[in-house]
Amino acid sequence: MIVIDEHFVFHVQPLLCAGITMYSPLRYFGLDKPGLHIGVVGLGGLGHVGVKFAKAMGLKADMGTVDGVLDTVSADHPVDPLIGLLKSHGKLIFLGAPEKPVDLPVFPLLMGRKLVAGSGIGGMKETQEMLDFAAKHNITADVEVIPMNYVNTALERLAKAEVKYRFVIDVAKTLKAE
């Protein structure tokens, strides 16, 4: 048992990392207005939650040009095509962190006053706002629940990109089984 100051506790919901990582830039960069068109690059643990938030906010996903792109990919990848998808005044927000520096063409940014930014995570107030929004719209993270003794296999699957969204370790069930 531990005692925690109430200012540092959230109502329990399995969206704390992925949820706030996607919710925060949508709100901060003004990409949360109904009718805006956005794209989400990378539909893994972060991206699939971002799509759920976007839908609940009344955003549209299009194959044409978009008002904003949330790029969740941490692998090296070209960003030129993403910049090309942006409308004038569009925003490309990086949420993933590739190992190598991103090759960023400046001319397409100048032609349309496009913005490139990054976003990590939100604060306490915004996280509670995100949890309340998720509860109101019945948004949950898609997860695969695993026992503790499956962790090594899970890490191998992660390295091979064989994970659909997120692993969640069921510690309580694992402890009961021992």
Side-chain angles (χ1 to χ4, degrees):
M1 296 293 229
I2 60 171
V3 177
I4 299 174
D5 184 300
E6 67 185 73
H7 294 99
F8 301 101
V9 177
F10 294 105
H11 297 280
V12 177
Q13 188 160 344
L15 285 172
L16 293 178
C17 183
I20 192 59
T21 300
M22 297 307 291
Y23 181 88
S24 181
L26 287 168
R27 300 275 295 148
Y28 182 85
F29 292 103
L31 295 171
D32 59 342
K33 311 293 184 281
L36 288 181
H37 295 187
I38 67 152
V40 176
V41 181
L43 292 176
L46 294 177
H48 86 280
V49 174
V51 170
K52 290 179 179 188
F53 278 121
K55 183 178 178 188
M57 291 174 176
L59 306 177
K60 307 289 182 199
D62 256 339
M63 297 301 288
T65 56
V66 295
D67 298 291
V69 172
L70 299 177
D71 185 347
T72 71
V73 178
S74 289
D76 294 329
H77 63 289
V79 298
D80 305 28
L82 304 179
I83 294 170
L85 290 174
L86 295 173
K87 296 178 182 178
S88 290
H89 307 280
K91 300 165 185 170
L92 170 58
I93 314 300
F94 286 102
L95 305 171
E99 280 186 37
K100 296 179 185 173
V102 173
D103 185 15
L104 191 62
V106 175
F107 191 73
L109 298 173
L110 300 174
M111 306 310 297
R113 287 195 162 175
K114 298 174 182 179
L115 173 76
V116 175
S119 183
I121 199 161
M124 296 292 287
K125 182 179 177 186
E126 191 175 40
T127 300
Q128 187 62 60
E129 180 184 311
M130 176 275 301
L131 290 171
D132 293 342
F133 184 88
K136 179 179 178 182
H137 296 279
N138 198 28
I139 297 171
T140 60
D142 295 336
V143 299
E144 181 179 336
V145 180
I146 61 170
M148 184 68 82
N149 62 4
Y150 190 78
V151 169
N152 288 337
T153 303
L155 289 172
E156 290 169 7
R157 286 181 52 204
L158 183 62
K160 296 177 187 173
E162 294 177 352
V163 183
K164 190 166 184 182
Y165 298 119
R166 294 254 175 198
F167 283 125
V168 173
I169 301 169
D170 188 341
V171 176
K173 191 174 186 179
T174 301
L175 292 175
K176 287 178 187 175
E178 291 178 358

mmCIF file of all heavy atoms in Angstrom, residues 71-118:
data_model
loop_
_atom_site.group_PDB
_atom_site.id
_atom_site.type_symbol
_atom_site.label_atom_id
_atom_site.label_comp_id
_atom_site.label_asym_id
_atom_site.label_seq_id
_atom_site.Cartn_x
_atom_site.Cartn_y
_atom_site.Cartn_z
ATOM 1 N N ASP A 71 2.496 12.348 -37.266
ATOM 2 C CA ASP A 71 3.441 11.311 -37.679
ATOM 3 C C ASP A 71 3.965 10.596 -36.437
ATOM 4 O O ASP A 71 4.770 11.130 -35.686
ATOM 5 C CB ASP A 71 4.584 11.959 -38.459
ATOM 6 C CG ASP A 71 5.560 10.944 -39.024
ATOM 7 O OD1 ASP A 71 5.524 9.761 -38.625
ATOM 8 O OD2 ASP A 71 6.385 11.344 -39.866
ATOM 9 N N THR A 72 3.501 9.361 -36.237
ATOM 10 C CA THR A 72 3.878 8.582 -35.048
ATOM 11 C C THR A 72 5.045 7.628 -35.297
ATOM 12 O O THR A 72 5.444 6.903 -34.391
ATOM 13 C CB THR A 72 2.680 7.746 -34.546
ATOM 14 O OG1 THR A 72 2.430 6.689 -35.471
ATOM 15 C CG2 THR A 72 1.435 8.590 -34.369
ATOM 16 N N VAL A 73 5.585 7.627 -36.491
ATOM 17 C CA VAL A 73 6.587 6.630 -36.894
ATOM 18 C C VAL A 73 7.961 6.960 -36.323
ATOM 19 O O VAL A 73 8.464 8.070 -36.502
ATOM 20 C CB VAL A 73 6.654 6.529 -38.433
ATOM 21 C CG1 VAL A 73 7.716 5.528 -38.873
ATOM 22 C CG2 VAL A 73 5.294 6.155 -38.995
ATOM 23 N N SER A 74 8.573 5.992 -35.660
ATOM 24 C CA SER A 74 9.922 6.176 -35.122
ATOM 25 C C SER A 74 10.994 5.594 -36.031
ATOM 26 O O SER A 74 12.177 5.814 -35.802
ATOM 27 C CB SER A 74 10.027 5.544 -33.723
ATOM 28 O OG SER A 74 9.296 6.320 -32.800
ATOM 29 N N ALA A 75 10.607 4.860 -37.052
ATOM 30 C CA ALA A 75 11.567 4.335 -38.034
ATOM 31 C C ALA A 75 11.923 5.450 -39.016
ATOM 32 O O ALA A 75 11.171 6.409 -39.194
ATOM 33 C CB ALA A 75 10.957 3.150 -38.782
ATOM 34 N N ASP A 76 13.078 5.312 -39.649
ATOM 35 C CA ASP A 76 13.467 6.288 -40.665
ATOM 36 C C ASP A 76 12.480 6.206 -41.829
ATOM 37 O O ASP A 76 12.149 5.114 -42.292
ATOM 38 C CB ASP A 76 14.890 5.996 -41.157
ATOM 39 C CG ASP A 76 15.925 6.207 -40.057
ATOM 40 O OD1 ASP A 76 15.693 7.072 -39.196
ATOM 41 O OD2 ASP A 76 16.946 5.496 -40.075
ATOM 42 N N HIS A 77 12.016 7.357 -42.279
ATOM 43 C CA HIS A 77 11.071 7.408 -43.392
ATOM 44 C C HIS A 77 11.102 8.804 -44.021
ATOM 45 O O HIS A 77 11.443 9.779 -43.351
ATOM 46 C CB HIS A 77 9.653 7.057 -42.928
ATOM 47 C CG HIS A 77 9.088 8.011 -41.924
ATOM 48 N ND1 HIS A 77 9.531 8.083 -40.617
ATOM 49 C CD2 HIS A 77 8.116 8.939 -42.032
ATOM 50 C CE1 HIS A 77 8.867 9.014 -39.963
ATOM 51 N NE2 HIS A 77 8.005 9.559 -40.797
ATOM 52 N N PRO A 78 10.768 8.899 -45.300
ATOM 53 C CA PRO A 78 10.769 10.212 -45.955
ATOM 54 C C PRO A 78 9.578 11.061 -45.491
ATOM 55 O O PRO A 78 8.486 10.535 -45.281
ATOM 56 C CB PRO A 78 10.637 9.860 -47.444
ATOM 57 C CG PRO A 78 9.997 8.523 -47.465
ATOM 58 C CD PRO A 78 10.424 7.817 -46.207
ATOM 59 N N VAL A 79 9.820 12.356 -45.306
ATOM 60 C CA VAL A 79 8.733 13.243 -44.905
ATOM 61 C C VAL A 79 8.238 14.125 -46.048
ATOM 62 O O VAL A 79 7.202 14.762 -45.920
ATOM 63 C CB VAL A 79 9.123 14.115 -43.687
ATOM 64 C CG1 VAL A 79 9.419 13.251 -42.482
ATOM 65 C CG2 VAL A 79 10.274 15.033 -44.006
ATOM 66 N N ASP A 80 8.963 14.147 -47.185
ATOM 67 C CA ASP A 80 8.537 14.951 -48.340
ATOM 68 C C ASP A 80 7.089 14.665 -48.727
ATOM 69 O O ASP A 80 6.310 15.610 -48.936
ATOM 70 C CB ASP A 80 9.419 14.684 -49.578
ATOM 71 C CG ASP A 80 10.885 14.878 -49.336
ATOM 72 O OD1 ASP A 80 11.342 14.701 -48.195
ATOM 73 O OD2 ASP A 80 11.583 15.202 -50.300
ATOM 74 N N PRO A 81 6.693 13.377 -48.829
ATOM 75 C CA PRO A 81 5.306 13.100 -49.219
ATOM 76 C C PRO A 81 4.297 13.628 -48.198
ATOM 77 O O PRO A 81 3.191 14.029 -48.562
ATOM 78 C CB PRO A 81 5.237 11.571 -49.284
ATOM 79 C CG PRO A 81 6.648 11.111 -49.406
ATOM 80 C CD PRO A 81 7.473 12.137 -48.702
ATOM 81 N N LEU A 82 4.673 13.642 -46.922
ATOM 82 C CA LEU A 82 3.768 14.127 -45.884
ATOM 83 C C LEU A 82 3.576 15.634 -46.008
ATOM 84 O O LEU A 82 2.464 16.152 -45.887
ATOM 85 C CB LEU A 82 4.300 13.771 -44.495
ATOM 86 C CG LEU A 82 4.571 12.291 -44.245
ATOM 87 C CD1 LEU A 82 5.116 12.071 -42.849
ATOM 88 C CD2 LEU A 82 3.322 11.460 -44.486
ATOM 89 N N ILE A 83 4.669 16.343 -46.266
ATOM 90 C CA ILE A 83 4.589 17.791 -46.462
ATOM 91 C C ILE A 83 3.741 18.092 -47.691
ATOM 92 O O ILE A 83 2.948 19.029 -47.709
ATOM 93 C CB ILE A 83 5.999 18.414 -46.579
ATOM 94 C CG1 ILE A 83 6.727 18.266 -45.241
ATOM 95 C CG2 ILE A 83 5.926 19.871 -47.002
ATOM 96 C CD1 ILE A 83 8.196 18.618 -45.280
ATOM 97 N N GLY A 84 3.881 17.247 -48.721
ATOM 98 C CA GLY A 84 3.092 17.419 -49.937
ATOM 99 C C GLY A 84 1.603 17.244 -49.730
ATOM 100 O O GLY A 84 0.793 17.769 -50.495
ATOM 101 N N LEU A 85 1.216 16.507 -48.696
ATOM 102 C CA LEU A 85 -0.208 16.308 -48.407
ATOM 103 C C LEU A 85 -0.854 17.504 -47.711
ATOM 104 O O LEU A 85 -2.077 17.626 -47.680
ATOM 105 C CB LEU A 85 -0.400 15.080 -47.503
ATOM 106 C CG LEU A 85 -0.149 13.720 -48.115
ATOM 107 C CD1 LEU A 85 -0.238 12.638 -47.032
ATOM 108 C CD2 LEU A 85 -1.154 13.437 -49.217
ATOM 109 N N LEU A 86 -0.018 18.365 -47.125
ATOM 110 C CA LEU A 86 -0.554 19.473 -46.333
ATOM 111 C C LEU A 86 -1.140 20.582 -47.187
ATOM 112 O O LEU A 86 -0.556 21.007 -48.178
ATOM 113 C CB LEU A 86 0.544 20.075 -45.445
ATOM 114 C CG LEU A 86 1.110 19.183 -44.348
ATOM 115 C CD1 LEU A 86 2.297 19.877 -43.684
ATOM 116 C CD2 LEU A 86 0.046 18.833 -43.326
ATOM 117 N N LYS A 87 -2.299 21.074 -46.773
ATOM 118 C CA LYS A 87 -2.887 22.278 -47.369
ATOM 119 C C LYS A 87 -2.030 23.473 -46.952
ATOM 120 O O LYS A 87 -1.180 23.361 -46.062
ATOM 121 C CB LYS A 87 -4.310 22.494 -46.834
ATOM 122 C CG LYS A 87 -5.297 21.415 -47.192
ATOM 123 C CD LYS A 87 -6.645 21.726 -46.548
ATOM 124 C CE LYS A 87 -7.655 20.631 -46.863
ATOM 125 N NZ LYS A 87 -8.950 20.889 -46.202
ATOM 126 N N SER A 88 -2.268 24.633 -47.540
ATOM 127 C CA SER A 88 -1.618 25.853 -47.061
ATOM 128 C C SER A 88 -1.934 26.017 -45.580
ATOM 129 O O SER A 88 -3.062 25.750 -45.150
ATOM 130 C CB SER A 88 -2.129 27.074 -47.834
ATOM 131 O OG SER A 88 -1.657 27.027 -49.156
ATOM 132 N N HIS A 89 -0.956 26.426 -44.811
ATOM 133 C CA HIS A 89 -1.061 26.589 -43.354
ATOM 134 C C HIS A 89 -1.218 25.252 -42.632
ATOM 135 O O HIS A 89 -1.565 25.224 -41.455
ATOM 136 C CB HIS A 89 -2.194 27.544 -42.969
ATOM 137 C CG HIS A 89 -2.113 28.859 -43.661
ATOM 138 N ND1 HIS A 89 -1.278 29.872 -43.249
ATOM 139 C CD2 HIS A 89 -2.730 29.314 -44.780
ATOM 140 C CE1 HIS A 89 -1.399 30.898 -44.073
ATOM 141 N NE2 HIS A 89 -2.269 30.589 -45.008
ATOM 142 N N GLY A 90 -0.955 24.158 -43.330
ATOM 143 C CA GLY A 90 -1.046 22.835 -42.721
ATOM 144 C C GLY A 90 0.078 22.592 -41.729
ATOM 145 O O GLY A 90 1.101 23.286 -41.733
ATOM 146 N N LYS A 91 -0.121 21.605 -40.881
ATOM 147 C CA LYS A 91 0.816 21.326 -39.800
ATOM 148 C C LYS A 91 1.231 19.860 -39.815
ATOM 149 O O LYS A 91 0.391 18.980 -39.791
ATOM 150 C CB LYS A 91 0.155 21.659 -38.461
ATOM 151 C CG LYS A 91 -0.253 23.112 -38.373
ATOM 152 C CD LYS A 91 -1.207 23.377 -37.238
ATOM 153 C CE LYS A 91 -1.659 24.826 -37.315
ATOM 154 N NZ LYS A 91 -2.752 25.110 -36.403
ATOM 155 N N LEU A 92 2.544 19.643 -39.833
ATOM 156 C CA LEU A 92 3.110 18.303 -39.719
ATOM 157 C C LEU A 92 3.676 18.191 -38.314
ATOM 158 O O LEU A 92 4.614 18.912 -37.949
ATOM 159 C CB LEU A 92 4.215 18.083 -40.757
ATOM 160 C CG LEU A 92 5.062 16.820 -40.616
ATOM 161 C CD1 LEU A 92 4.201 15.554 -40.660
ATOM 162 C CD2 LEU A 92 6.144 16.781 -41.689
ATOM 163 N N ILE A 93 3.087 17.311 -37.512
ATOM 164 C CA ILE A 93 3.489 17.174 -36.122
ATOM 165 C C ILE A 93 4.164 15.815 -35.927
ATOM 166 O O ILE A 93 3.550 14.770 -36.146
ATOM 167 C CB ILE A 93 2.273 17.271 -35.168
ATOM 168 C CG1 ILE A 93 1.358 18.438 -35.543
ATOM 169 C CG2 ILE A 93 2.744 17.342 -33.713
ATOM 170 C CD1 ILE A 93 2.001 19.795 -35.508
ATOM 171 N N PHE A 94 5.437 15.844 -35.497
ATOM 172 C CA PHE A 94 6.179 14.617 -35.224
ATOM 173 C C PHE A 94 5.916 14.146 -33.798
ATOM 174 O O PHE A 94 6.074 14.908 -32.847
ATOM 175 C CB PHE A 94 7.683 14.834 -35.410
ATOM 176 C CG PHE A 94 8.105 14.925 -36.836
ATOM 177 C CD1 PHE A 94 8.372 16.152 -37.414
ATOM 178 C CD2 PHE A 94 8.228 13.784 -37.609
ATOM 179 C CE1 PHE A 94 8.750 16.250 -38.742
ATOM 180 C CE2 PHE A 94 8.617 13.862 -38.940
ATOM 181 C CZ PHE A 94 8.876 15.101 -39.506
ATOM 182 N N LEU A 95 5.520 12.884 -33.659
ATOM 183 C CA LEU A 95 5.306 12.262 -32.364
ATOM 184 C C LEU A 95 6.266 11.090 -32.173
ATOM 185 O O LEU A 95 6.543 10.693 -31.047
ATOM 186 C CB LEU A 95 3.861 11.778 -32.229
ATOM 187 C CG LEU A 95 2.805 12.864 -32.481
ATOM 188 C CD1 LEU A 95 1.424 12.261 -32.544
ATOM 189 C CD2 LEU A 95 2.883 13.927 -31.428
ATOM 190 N N GLY A 96 6.744 10.531 -33.263
ATOM 191 C CA GLY A 96 7.744 9.474 -33.222
ATOM 192 C C GLY A 96 9.127 10.109 -33.260
ATOM 193 O O GLY A 96 9.278 11.280 -33.602
ATOM 194 N N ALA A 97 10.146 9.340 -32.911
ATOM 195 C CA ALA A 97 11.509 9.875 -32.865
ATOM 196 C C ALA A 97 12.467 8.960 -33.623
ATOM 197 O O ALA A 97 13.100 8.087 -33.029
ATOM 198 C CB ALA A 97 11.964 10.035 -31.421
ATOM 199 N N PRO A 98 12.584 9.145 -34.947
ATOM 200 C CA PRO A 98 13.530 8.332 -35.722
ATOM 201 C C PRO A 98 14.964 8.523 -35.231
ATOM 202 O O PRO A 98 15.315 9.597 -34.742
ATOM 203 C CB PRO A 98 13.373 8.863 -37.149
ATOM 204 C CG PRO A 98 12.042 9.535 -37.170
ATOM 205 C CD PRO A 98 11.836 10.074 -35.781
ATOM 206 N N GLU A 99 15.772 7.473 -35.360
ATOM 207 C CA GLU A 99 17.171 7.539 -34.924
ATOM 208 C C GLU A 99 17.968 8.565 -35.717
ATOM 209 O O GLU A 99 18.748 9.316 -35.167
ATOM 210 C CB GLU A 99 17.837 6.165 -35.081
ATOM 211 C CG GLU A 99 17.524 5.202 -33.976
ATOM 212 C CD GLU A 99 18.331 3.923 -34.101
ATOM 213 O OE1 GLU A 99 19.516 3.987 -34.500
ATOM 214 O OE2 GLU A 99 17.769 2.858 -33.810
ATOM 215 N N LYS A 100 17.783 8.569 -37.036
ATOM 216 C CA LYS A 100 18.542 9.470 -37.896
ATOM 217 C C LYS A 100 17.797 10.802 -38.042
ATOM 218 O O LYS A 100 16.571 10.834 -37.990
ATOM 219 C CB LYS A 100 18.727 8.849 -39.280
ATOM 220 C CG LYS A 100 19.557 7.582 -39.270
ATOM 221 C CD LYS A 100 19.680 7.007 -40.663
ATOM 222 C CE LYS A 100 20.414 5.681 -40.648
ATOM 223 N NZ LYS A 100 20.396 5.038 -41.964
ATOM 224 N N PRO A 101 18.539 11.894 -38.259
ATOM 225 C CA PRO A 101 17.887 13.191 -38.490
ATOM 226 C C PRO A 101 16.970 13.121 -39.716
ATOM 227 O O PRO A 101 17.260 12.436 -40.693
ATOM 228 C CB PRO A 101 19.050 14.144 -38.744
ATOM 229 C CG PRO A 101 20.230 13.482 -38.117
ATOM 230 C CD PRO A 101 19.989 12.002 -38.249
ATOM 231 N N VAL A 102 15.891 13.848 -39.643
ATOM 232 C CA VAL A 102 14.910 13.872 -40.735
ATOM 233 C C VAL A 102 15.398 14.823 -41.821
ATOM 234 O O VAL A 102 15.855 15.935 -41.539
ATOM 235 C CB VAL A 102 13.532 14.333 -40.194
ATOM 236 C CG1 VAL A 102 12.542 14.535 -41.312
ATOM 237 C CG2 VAL A 102 13.011 13.348 -39.164
ATOM 238 N N ASP A 103 15.321 14.390 -43.075
ATOM 239 C CA ASP A 103 15.654 15.236 -44.220
ATOM 240 C C ASP A 103 14.429 16.100 -44.497
ATOM 241 O O ASP A 103 13.408 15.610 -44.986
ATOM 242 C CB ASP A 103 15.994 14.355 -45.432
ATOM 243 C CG ASP A 103 16.456 15.170 -46.621
ATOM 244 O OD1 ASP A 103 16.789 16.364 -46.450
ATOM 245 O OD2 ASP A 103 16.473 14.617 -47.735
ATOM 246 N N LEU A 104 14.532 17.384 -44.163
ATOM 247 C CA LEU A 104 13.390 18.277 -44.227
ATOM 248 C C LEU A 104 13.546 19.291 -45.353
ATOM 249 O O LEU A 104 14.337 20.236 -45.251
ATOM 250 C CB LEU A 104 13.242 19.002 -42.885
ATOM 251 C CG LEU A 104 11.980 19.776 -42.647
ATOM 252 C CD1 LEU A 104 10.759 18.859 -42.671
ATOM 253 C CD2 LEU A 104 12.062 20.479 -41.297
ATOM 254 N N PRO A 105 12.805 19.119 -46.434
ATOM 255 C CA PRO A 105 12.875 20.083 -47.538
ATOM 256 C C PRO A 105 12.168 21.381 -47.140
ATOM 257 O O PRO A 105 11.019 21.360 -46.712
ATOM 258 C CB PRO A 105 12.146 19.365 -48.673
ATOM 259 C CG PRO A 105 11.214 18.433 -47.995
ATOM 260 C CD PRO A 105 11.856 18.051 -46.695
ATOM 261 N N VAL A 106 12.870 22.502 -47.271
ATOM 262 C CA VAL A 106 12.335 23.777 -46.804
ATOM 263 C C VAL A 106 11.405 24.433 -47.826
ATOM 264 O O VAL A 106 10.382 25.012 -47.447
ATOM 265 C CB VAL A 106 13.493 24.736 -46.429
ATOM 266 C CG1 VAL A 106 12.972 26.110 -46.057
ATOM 267 C CG2 VAL A 106 14.291 24.144 -45.276
ATOM 268 N N PHE A 107 11.725 24.339 -49.110
ATOM 269 C CA PHE A 107 10.926 25.049 -50.120
ATOM 270 C C PHE A 107 9.429 24.717 -50.036
ATOM 271 O O PHE A 107 8.602 25.625 -50.063
ATOM 272 C CB PHE A 107 11.477 24.781 -51.528
ATOM 273 C CG PHE A 107 10.861 25.681 -52.564
ATOM 274 C CD1 PHE A 107 11.208 27.030 -52.630
ATOM 275 C CD2 PHE A 107 9.919 25.188 -53.454
ATOM 276 C CE1 PHE A 107 10.626 27.873 -53.571
ATOM 277 C CE2 PHE A 107 9.338 26.015 -54.392
ATOM 278 C CZ PHE A 107 9.698 27.360 -54.462
ATOM 279 N N PRO A 108 9.037 23.438 -49.919
ATOM 280 C CA PRO A 108 7.603 23.149 -49.808
ATOM 281 C C PRO A 108 6.955 23.745 -48.550
ATOM 282 O O PRO A 108 5.764 23.988 -48.516
ATOM 283 C CB PRO A 108 7.533 21.623 -49.752
ATOM 284 C CG PRO A 108 8.837 21.145 -50.283
ATOM 285 C CD PRO A 108 9.831 22.215 -49.989
ATOM 286 N N LEU A 109 7.757 23.981 -47.517
ATOM 287 C CA LEU A 109 7.219 24.615 -46.307
ATOM 288 C C LEU A 109 6.951 26.100 -46.556
ATOM 289 O O LEU A 109 5.941 26.648 -46.094
ATOM 290 C CB LEU A 109 8.193 24.466 -45.137
ATOM 291 C CG LEU A 109 8.504 23.044 -44.684
ATOM 292 C CD1 LEU A 109 9.606 23.048 -43.632
ATOM 293 C CD2 LEU A 109 7.255 22.377 -44.150
ATOM 294 N N LEU A 110 7.877 26.730 -47.280
ATOM 295 C CA LEU A 110 7.725 28.150 -47.594
ATOM 296 C C LEU A 110 6.499 28.398 -48.471
ATOM 297 O O LEU A 110 5.790 29.388 -48.285
ATOM 298 C CB LEU A 110 8.965 28.671 -48.328
ATOM 299 C CG LEU A 110 10.296 28.566 -47.592
ATOM 300 C CD1 LEU A 110 11.431 28.981 -48.512
ATOM 301 C CD2 LEU A 110 10.271 29.409 -46.340
ATOM 302 N N MET A 111 6.285 27.500 -49.417
ATOM 303 C CA MET A 111 5.170 27.641 -50.355
ATOM 304 C C MET A 111 3.896 27.126 -49.702
ATOM 305 O O MET A 111 3.459 26.024 -49.954
ATOM 306 C CB MET A 111 5.460 26.894 -51.657
ATOM 307 C CG MET A 111 6.759 27.268 -52.324
ATOM 308 S SD MET A 111 7.010 29.046 -52.538
ATOM 309 C CE MET A 111 5.682 29.470 -53.620
ATOM 310 N N GLY A 112 3.323 27.907 -48.859
ATOM 311 C CA GLY A 112 2.082 27.509 -48.209
ATOM 312 C C GLY A 112 2.108 27.736 -46.709
ATOM 313 O O GLY A 112 1.178 27.371 -46.006
ATOM 314 N N ARG A 113 3.214 28.350 -46.221
ATOM 315 C CA ARG A 113 3.321 28.629 -44.778
ATOM 316 C C ARG A 113 2.984 27.419 -43.923
ATOM 317 O O ARG A 113 2.177 27.461 -43.017
ATOM 318 C CB ARG A 113 2.429 29.799 -44.387
ATOM 319 C CG ARG A 113 2.930 31.113 -44.846
ATOM 320 C CD ARG A 113 2.223 32.218 -44.144
ATOM 321 N NE ARG A 113 3.012 33.425 -44.294
ATOM 322 C CZ ARG A 113 2.617 34.597 -43.866
ATOM 323 N NH1 ARG A 113 1.473 34.722 -43.240
ATOM 324 N NH2 ARG A 113 3.378 35.645 -44.035
ATOM 325 N N LYS A 114 3.612 26.322 -44.257
ATOM 326 C CA LYS A 114 3.373 25.071 -43.531
ATOM 327 C C LYS A 114 4.247 25.026 -42.283
ATOM 328 O O LYS A 114 5.351 25.551 -42.263
ATOM 329 C CB LYS A 114 3.647 23.885 -44.454
ATOM 330 C CG LYS A 114 2.705 23.872 -45.649
ATOM 331 C CD LYS A 114 3.039 22.809 -46.653
ATOM 332 C CE LYS A 114 2.100 22.888 -47.847
ATOM 333 N NZ LYS A 114 2.419 21.877 -48.861
ATOM 334 N N LEU A 115 3.737 24.377 -41.263
ATOM 335 C CA LEU A 115 4.404 24.301 -39.975
ATOM 336 C C LEU A 115 4.860 22.878 -39.702
ATOM 337 O O LEU A 115 4.119 21.925 -39.939
ATOM 338 C CB LEU A 115 3.425 24.735 -38.868
ATOM 339 C CG LEU A 115 3.877 24.571 -37.438
ATOM 340 C CD1 LEU A 115 4.885 25.671 -37.093
ATOM 341 C CD2 LEU A 115 2.689 24.651 -36.494
ATOM 342 N N VAL A 116 6.084 22.751 -39.183
ATOM 343 C CA VAL A 116 6.596 21.460 -38.728
ATOM 344 C C VAL A 116 6.888 21.612 -37.240
ATOM 345 O O VAL A 116 7.552 22.563 -36.826
ATOM 346 C CB VAL A 116 7.880 21.048 -39.479
ATOM 347 C CG1 VAL A 116 8.443 19.756 -38.901
ATOM 348 C CG2 VAL A 116 7.598 20.891 -40.955
ATOM 349 N N ALA A 117 6.361 20.695 -36.450
ATOM 350 C CA ALA A 117 6.537 20.775 -34.999
ATOM 351 C C ALA A 117 6.668 19.375 -34.424
ATOM 352 O O ALA A 117 6.513 18.379 -35.122
ATOM 353 C CB ALA A 117 5.346 21.507 -34.378
ATOM 354 N N GLY A 118 6.899 19.322 -33.142
ATOM 355 C CA GLY A 118 6.965 18.062 -32.422
ATOM 356 C C GLY A 118 6.140 18.164 -31.157
ATOM 357 O O GLY A 118 5.860 19.258 -30.670
#
